[in-house]
């Protein structure tokens, strides 16, 4: 039989299973707390809608300030690198001392970042504005991922997918809103989206009121070891593999979200607004795939989803650089549906490997995703300046092959929820 064990704050890789105190969290054994999940997913939608505006207005900033692709990549890096550095630190801090209202406070950084971006007239000010939006993301993601798990009722993949669904659809809305509002009305219209940030602050404050009394129940949860859990060394190896898998996925997605507009304009001569709508098609498919990946992982196992979602996209990514305009749109739908389904499974797999460090692990993986995306965007932009956008997509087409490393992931023990 399992015996209770004490886990110190210094232990980072001890494989344990947490018995969730579901009845006291509003997510009973009968199922998840759907109102809370809907609220945190809606907040993720608002958060990522605002963030996606940055990439969507790149053509406007490029033309207005005569920026090259390397400078465009640096804007992405300023936004994502800030989030990458701070997310693990935020997660580590909230593991020790929960901050129920930190989400609402952090969202104010996004609010001011959007206002600053709308009036920025210098490149350095644009970078600072992007960094402020990244700061809001750093505060939002680790703790909101923990809230989604608390409200899951044991359906961790489903809860993470609902959470990711909001973010993915928010990301897909950025190009549409940019095409309908920012392109016709210019850079100052970005300030209008600060109202979205204010709405997010209100919703997150209400979620903080729900979250505050859950802290005692969370601290009282019993932590027990599982006899079939992987060893600490296997846990460390698995975490490293998951980071690399997230690298292959996120870098490819970053290449599309940051430069696909320029690729379509350069190769097919479409307008900026039309290119933004094509990007929306990919990002919307990304959102749908992100939702279904979690429940499928709950049902058939997360390792199977990880295998399929990364390697399964390879034939489509290899074909994309050689396809025509219509075929490219179709291929991006398949790529988005398949490759995005892995996100929830990777996050939940990592949480199950280190379940007493939900905030830190969520912060590391969300942070790595942002950091890799930002660094990759900067490097790919410099490569595009020296070669071409088409060449960049020919190279990126091979990234999903890195998914073969999933063979090193351990088999996780089955637990009852």
């Amino acid at each position: 039989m399992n015996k209770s064990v004490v886990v110190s704050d210094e232990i980072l890789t001890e494989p344990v299973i947490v018995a969730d105190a579901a009845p006291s969290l509003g997510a009973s054994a009968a199922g998840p707390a759907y109102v809370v999940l809907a609220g945190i997913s809606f907040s993720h939608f608002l958060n990522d809608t605002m963030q996606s505006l940055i990439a969507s207005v790149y053509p406007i900033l490029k033309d207005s300030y005569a920026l090259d692709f390397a400078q465009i990549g640096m804007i992405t890096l300023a936004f994502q690198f800030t989030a990458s550095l701070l997310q693990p630190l935020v997660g580590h801090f909230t593991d020790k001392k929960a901050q129920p209202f930190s989400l609402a406070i952090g969202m104010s950084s996004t609010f001011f970042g959007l206002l600053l971006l709308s009036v920025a007239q210098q490149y350095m000010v644009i970078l600072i504005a992007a960094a402020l939006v990244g700061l809001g993301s750093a505060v939002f993601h680790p703790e909101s991922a923990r809230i989604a798990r608390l409200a899951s009722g044991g359906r961790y993949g489903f809860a993470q997918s609902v959470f990711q669904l909001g973010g993915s659809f928010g990301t897909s809305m950025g190009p549409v809103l940019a095409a309908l509002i920012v392109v016709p009305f210019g850079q100052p219209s970005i300030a209008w989206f600060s109202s979205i940030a204010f709405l997010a602050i209100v919703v997150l404050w209400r979620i903080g009121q729900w979250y505050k009394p859950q802290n005692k129940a969370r601290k009282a949860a019993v932590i027990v070891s599982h006899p079939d859990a992987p060893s600490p060394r296997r846990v460390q190896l698995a975490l490293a593999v998951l980071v690399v898998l997230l690298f292959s996925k996120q870098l490819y997605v970053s290449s599309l979200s940051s430069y696909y507009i320029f690729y379509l304009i350069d190769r097919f001569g479409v307008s900026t607004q039309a290119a933004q709508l094509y990007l929306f098609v990919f990002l919307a498919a990304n959102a749908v795939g992100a939702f279904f990946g979690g429940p499928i992982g709950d049902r058939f196992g997360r390792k199977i989803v990880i295998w399929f979602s990364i390697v399964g996209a390879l034939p489509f990514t290899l074909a994309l650089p050689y396809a025509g305009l219509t075929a490219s749109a179709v291929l991006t739908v398949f790529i988005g549906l398949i490759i995005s389904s892995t996100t929830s499974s990777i996050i939940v797999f990592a949480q199950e490997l280190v379940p007493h460090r939900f905030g830190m692990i969520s912060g590391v993986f969300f942070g790595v995703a942002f950091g890799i995306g930002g660094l990759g965007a900067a490097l790919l932009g410099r490569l595009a300046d020296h070669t071409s956008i088409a060449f960049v997509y020919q190279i990126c087409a091979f990234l999903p092959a890195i998914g073969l490393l999933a063979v090193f992931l351990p088999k996780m023990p089955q637990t009852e929820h």
Side-chain angles (χ1 to χ4, degrees), residues 218-230:
R218 192 189 75 180
K219 293 176 182 178
V222 178
I223 300 179
V224 296
S225 60
H226 195 290
D228 298 325

Side-chain angles (χ1 to χ4, degrees), residues 227-295:
D228 298 325
S231 65
R233 179 171 293 184
R234 289 298 305 277
V235 170
Q236 293 174 346
L237 175 62
L239 289 174
V241 169
L242 290 174
V243 168
V244 175
L245 296 182
L246 197 60
F247 165 81
S248 67
K249 180 259 184 187
Q250 190 62 28
L251 183 56
Y252 187 83
V253 172
S254 177
S255 72
L256 281 178
S257 60
S258 294
Y259 300 111
Y260 190 52
I261 290 175
F262 299 111
Y263 172 76
L264 294 175
I265 294 173
D266 179 68
R267 182 171 180 187
F268 301 110
V270 301
S271 66
T272 298
Q273 287 178 304
Q276 287 169 330
L277 294 177
Y278 277 109
L279 178 59
F280 165 75
V281 170
F282 163 71
L283 295 175
N286 218 46
V288 174
F291 173 74
F292 285 105

Side-chain angles (χ1 to χ4, degrees), residues 42 56 86 126 136 145 160 176 230 292 298 368 372:
F42 180 62
S56 299
L86 294 181
I126 294 174
Q160 189 63 221
V176 176
F292 285 105
D298 285 339
V368 166
I372 289 174

